[in-house]
Amino acid sequence: MGKKEMEAPAIASDVALDVQDLGVRYNLQLTKKNTARETLNRLLRRGREDRSFWALREVTFQVQRGESVGVIGANGAGKSTLLLVLAGIIQPSAGVVQSNGHISTLLSLQAGFDQDLTGRENIALAGALLGVDHREMERRTPEIIDFAEIGAFIDAPLKTYSSGMRAKLGFSIATAVDPDILLLDEVLQTGDEAFREKSRQRIIDVLGAAKAVVLVTHDMSWVTGFCTRAILLDEGRIVMDGDPETVVARHIENAERRRADRRARRAKMAAGEIEAESLRAHKAKGRRSR
Amino acid sequence: MPIANDAPATYRTSAVRPGPATLIAEAIRELASRRRLIAYLVRADVRRKGTDTLLGNLWWALDPLIAMAVYVFVMGVIFQRSVPDFPIYILAAVVPFKWFTSSIGGSTGVVAKNERLIKQIQFPKLVLPIADALAELVSFAFGVLLLVGLTLLWAGGAHASLMLLWIPVIAVVQLAFSLGITLFVSAVTVFYRDVGIVVGHLLRMLFFISPILWSFEDAQGRGASLKEGLGPTGFWILEHNPVAILLASYRRVIYGQVQHGADGGVTWSAPVAPDLGLLAALFGVSLLLLVVGTWFFKRLEPAFAKIL
């Protein structure tokens, strides 16, 4: 990683995460599955048009030890990108992210599974991917197997598992980590009814044990129920940061306004109020930019 | 739950661009600390190759044998261009060349196919091409067993010699060389998928311009027109193509050397040691390639999660 680890410039010990003026820019030219021809065309036809997009812009906040911060916002507001940066998976394009402690993510459900390895071997593989020491992982293996309720299947190749068993195993591994600073993308709920109840309890335990939590979710009951603070993102910027109840209320209000806007636009369109003129202009613009 | 508070505070910013030395030191540290991850990935890869097909890893021995049979037929029967003990002659080049093509060909997608993983877990991506290269090495070991076994048995062990012990040495040079290339190819393919197609064509060209169906000794005898046609510079380049150096070395230690008599008869002489000067030079180039490749890979690595 281009990550530079150095003497952390004074970060107070009671601060778990410190995010200063963070920006993340995606280069749209490269994010598409490119072929050389497309690139060449672009280079030839439109020399230096800026085709980048800021998924996050000027984001600044701190997470204190003991805090649980819920990050909410509409789809595409930058919530998941924020979590990816905090986890170190993508690098900031601007600003600074500092952390005081080990960051664990629970976004890794099933990500590293290999179909040809057995359940037990997959536990070891997942541990190695997450950077957990193998002795530590071996110590936790019985507990993981027990929690996942897959019994004798644990020594069968993963491809013989049902999707429910896979999900349970993934969940058990993900939540077996020692949480220090914990990042969660959507509260992972999986499996049958009984397992869901059990996993809910497990998440609550893990959340409680972590020193600090950042949780991205669409389920507002988790935000109001567990978070001590909430951050509302919109188009990559923080629009509100504060008490969960207030922020959630604002989020719901925003969402309703957007829905109302959309309805109004549709109604207008149906009534033919948008003149053919502007529609044509819009189309022409779209063609040019293609 | 007591948690040791020795986790280092990390500091990430866009402002610092680590230099080559920092990146390479970081790469070595990452690989050392993720040895187990590499081992698990290799195991998964070997097992996948073994379980996907009915005959499993046996294909690794069958594949070069079938290829050899085809070439022996084409060259020996159709072109009438065989040399004594032609199957051993061909196999000595086909097995290492197959290792080379599957290493380089497979490496094009090694980062790209792990898209899901890269987007969800923060881990050193360098383990991916390295695990891939080591898994290919395991497959090659199967092929070498077959090759050595056949050499010992063929014509009552006519070609068997202690020179076979050079195979691991040549293999180390080849591993370094192909891993160096893999680092470049796997990183660039993330950005441009076309690379995979181009590499496929280059490998096919390499098959014909490298001494697999023919050898440089031919150029002394009836193949003299080759040398004439290419000119001294062209022939030098052909002879010093890294893959040609490797394949010629394998053939020298396994088969021996082809000799053309004045009367046009073709014989062979006993296996000899490879050209150590050439091999050492290639090893030096490969190490350089590894270092630059590591830097290149590490430099592009931060962009992988965004691009994929």
Side-chain angles (χ1 to χ4, degrees), chain A residues 1 4 99 107 114 121 178, chain B residues 1 10-11 26 48 120:
Chain A
M1 292 262 81
K4 181 104 176 166
S99 62
L107 3 99
D114 189 288
E121 287 165 338
D178 258 333
Chain B
M1 206 175 326
T10 53
Y11 179 73
E26 197 177 278
R48 180 163 37 248
Q120 292 196 32

Side-chain angles (χ1 to χ4, degrees), chain A:
Chain A
M1 292 262 81
K3 169 176 72 180
K4 181 104 176 166
E5 283 179 33
M6 47 188 196
E7 310 294 315
I11 166 170
S13 63
D14 56 343
V15 176
L17 277 172
D18 184 18
V19 178
Q20 292 294 332
D21 201 25
L22 171 69
V24 172
R25 186 177 53 207
Y26 277 90
N27 184 342
L28 294 182
Q29 252 163 42
L30 286 170
T31 39
K32 286 277 150 51
K33 305 234 169 342
N34 259 321
T35 66
R37 196 177 53 125
E38 283 165 21
T39 311
L40 208 66
N41 275 346
R42 259 195 310 267
L43 286 177
L44 290 177
R45 267 193 292 163
R46 21 162 105 247
R48 44 200 57 128
E49 189 188 342
D50 184 18
R51 289 177 44 95
S52 60
F53 152 76
W54 288 88
L56 287 176
R57 198 80 213 249
E58 290 161 5
V59 170
T60 298
F61 67 96
Q62 281 192 335
V63 179
Q64 309 288 324
R65 245 153 229 271
E67 266 191 318
S68 299
V69 178
V71 178
I72 55 179
N75 285 328
K79 308 184 295 289
S80 297
T81 304
L82 177 61
L83 224 54
L84 287 174
V85 181
L86 294 182
I89 292 170
I90 59 181
Q91 300 295 309
S93 311
V96 174
V97 175
Q98 277 184 85
S99 62
N100 212 341
H102 183 75
I103 296 182
S104 322
T105 40
L106 288 197
L107 3 99
S108 38
L109 197 65
Q110 296 191 56
F113 280 174
D114 189 288
Q115 300 301 313
D116 290 293
L117 296 181
T118 67
R120 197 185 297 276
E121 287 165 338
N122 265 301
I123 295 175
L125 175 62
L129 274 170
L130 295 168
V132 180
D133 183 75
H134 72 103
R135 282 167 298 238
E136 179 68 16
M137 210 59 202
E138 270 161 31
R139 202 175 55 72
R140 289 180 196 162
T141 300
E143 188 204 325
I144 294 173
I145 296 172
D146 184 53
F147 191 86
E149 304 169 344
I150 31 187
F153 267 96
I154 195 66
D155 289 310
L158 208 73
K159 55 185 165 196
T160 62
Y161 285 31
S162 71
S163 59
M165 288 159 75
R166 248 171 254 185
K168 283 179 183 180
L169 183 62
F171 180 87
S172 308
I173 295 172
T175 52
V177 291
D178 258 333
D180 196 3
I181 300 169
L182 188 67
L183 310 176
L184 257 112
D185 194 355
E186 275 310 327
V187 178
L188 331 150
Q189 277 180 353
T190 183
D192 46 55
E193 202 54 53
F195 192 80
R196 204 165 301 166
E197 188 41 48
K198 199 167 101 170
S199 59
R200 184 183 158 83
Q201 192 50 50
R202 174 79 161 247
I203 289 174
I204 295 170
D205 291 347
V206 174
L207 288 181
K211 280 189 213 148
V213 177
V214 177
L215 165 71
V216 164
T217 183
H218 286 286
D219 185 346
M220 293 306 138
S221 66
W222 280 92
V223 181
T224 48
F226 289 92
C227 296
T228 54
R229 203 174 118 202
I231 289 176
L232 178 60
L233 282 179
D234 189 31
E235 291 177 355
R237 290 170 195 266
I238 294 185
V239 290
M240 201 176 183
D241 180 350
D243 164 60
E245 307 281 341
T246 329
V247 177
V248 166
R250 170 80 170 275
H251 172 59
I252 292 172
E253 198 181 294
N254 283 357
E256 263 160 20
R257 199 174 41 237
R258 261 194 300 270
R259 248 196 309 272
D261 279 355
R262 257 200 308 270
R263 247 200 315 272
R265 230 184 358 249
R266 255 202 306 272
K268 262 193 197 167
M269 218 127 64
E273 273 179 38
I274 294 179
E275 311 92 82
E277 193 70 13
S278 76
L279 206 70
R280 255 201 302 281
H282 184 75
K283 267 188 188 160
K285 195 166 140 232
R287 202 174 305 130
R288 242 180 291 126
S289 67
R290 207 169 298 136

Side-chain angles (χ1 to χ4, degrees), chain B residues 78-90:
Chain B
I78 298 181
F79 287 107
Q80 302 277 322
R81 276 268 178 157
S82 74
V83 299
D85 300 328
F86 201 47
I88 297 287
Y89 175 90
I90 291 282

Side-chain angles (χ1 to χ4, degrees), chain B residues 11 17 39 101 105-106 118 199 248 263 268 278:
Chain B
Y11 179 73
R17 277 222 179 272
T101 47
I118 289 168
V199 165
D263 58 344
W268 59 275
L278 268 185

